[in-house]
Amino acid sequence: TYKARFVVQHCCVDPRGLSTCVTTVESIFFRTLDIIAEHFGLKVITGDIGNAFVQAHTKEKCYVQCGPEFGNKAGLIAIIIRALYGLTTSAERFRTLLADFLRSLGFIPSRFDRDVWMRLREEKDGYDYICTHVDDFKIAARDPDRWLEQIKATFLVKESGPRGYYLGNDYTYHDGENRWSYGSLTYAQEAVRKVESIFGVLAKNKSALPQESTANKVANHPETDTSPLLD
């Protein structure tokens, strides 16, 4: 058995008149969700939905002539009804599908970010939260497995579990200090790997960030650095 990945050449489709706008949770808000979870003693798990877009239906009217890869259907005209990758509206279509699903569970979008969803618990003693970033999600709830099982019953969840790596961030819990820290080592290493696969091995140089001055107690922040930009 083989998995087929059909991608539409989007330049051949005219999406005018259709909604192509899609939002994702802002990074500051999914970090804020961690603070809320810590404050209220909520458990946090993350997950990734597989084969996401094609689970939604497209509103774009397009077709394709089947090639030899379609076997005995080669030469026939196939009408595309699913939100295939490459269609301009596919991300919006899946976001709408996922939003409708979360509403069916009783969640409503929060006022500060429409991709952070909240639901008052039956005990009315607080809220459970789910934030979404296209096909990635994070659940902060008293019983997050309850909502994870609901998602798994409707969508194909490729992987899920406690916080480890989510949206380019490494999560590390420090037992002795009872705190979490964020990092981007995994993201940076993957970025370097991809660049090196194209341009070859890069020279490695280490450059320490400016440290806080003990003399005047003024910290030098990266955003105020005036050194030349990388070429």
Side-chain angles (χ1 to χ4, degrees):
T1 301
Y2 296 92
K3 177 179 179 179
R5 186 182 297 275
F6 297 110
V7 179
V8 175
Q9 192 172 357
H10 68 275
C11 62
C12 298
V13 182
D14 184 3
R16 284 180 294 183
L18 297 174
S19 174
T20 60
C21 180
V22 60
T23 60
T24 56
V25 62
E26 294 189 35
S27 59
I28 188 173
F29 293 134
F30 81 71
R31 292 198 298 268
T32 302
L33 200 57
D34 288 323
I35 298 175
I36 293 174
E38 187 70 20
H39 181 75
F40 290 106
L42 305 178
K43 297 178 182 178
V44 180
I45 59 176
T46 62
D48 180 14
I49 298 175
N51 298 336
F53 289 3
V54 295
Q55 299 184 59
H57 286 81
T58 185
K59 289 185 176 180
E60 298 182 51
K61 298 184 183 302
C62 47
Y63 67 92
V64 63
Q65 185 173 15
C66 297
E69 66 273 17
F70 285 86
N72 59 6
K73 293 182 174 57
L76 298 180
I77 298 298
I79 298 175
I80 298 175
I81 63 173
R82 294 285 183 169
L84 296 185
Y85 291 90
L87 290 176
T88 309
T89 63
S90 290
E92 184 276 334
R93 289 282 78 213
F94 177 74
R95 195 265 172 199
T96 300
L97 175 69
L98 186 56
D100 290 342
F101 169 73
L102 292 175
R103 287 191 183 93
S104 72
L105 298 181
F107 284 83
I108 59 173
S110 63
R111 288 185 292 175
F112 61 88
D113 190 317
R114 66 194 295 258
D115 292 293
V116 176
W117 298 77
M118 53 197 296
R119 182 185 190 275
L120 183 65
R121 289 191 291 272
E122 285 79 1
E123 299 81 4
K124 300 188 184 303
D125 58 350
Y127 288 86
D128 289 342
Y129 303 87
I130 298 178
C131 71
T132 59
H133 189 284
V134 190
D135 54 359
D136 294 298
F137 61 87
K138 176 191 284 187
I139 306 172
R142 182 169 293 169
D143 180 17
D145 290 323
R146 170 191 178 186
W147 305 119
L148 178 61
E149 291 306 313
Q150 295 272 17
I151 296 174
K152 285 183 175 180
T154 304
F155 301 96
L156 170 64
V157 177
K158 290 192 298 184
E159 54 186 40
S160 60
R163 284 171 290 183
Y165 181 77
Y166 181 70
L167 297 186
N169 292 274
D170 295 305
Y171 288 83
T172 305
Y173 182 72
H174 304 270
D175 290 297
E177 304 173 37
N178 189 29
R179 67 181 178 90
W180 287 88
S181 65
Y182 294 85
S184 57
L185 180 61
T186 301
Y187 183 89
Q189 288 178 334
E190 178 62 13
V192 171
R193 185 195 67 78
K194 288 184 177 180
V195 171
E196 288 187 334
S197 69
I198 300 173
F199 299 104
V201 178
L202 305 175
K204 302 297 191 298
N205 292 289
K206 291 185 177 180
S207 178
L209 288 174
Q211 300 298 312
E212 182 177 339
S213 172
T214 56
N216 52 20
K217 301 297 182 182
V218 176
N220 294 316
H221 296 286
E223 63 268 22
T224 64
D225 181 55
T226 58
S227 60
L229 295 175
L230 293 172
D231 57 25

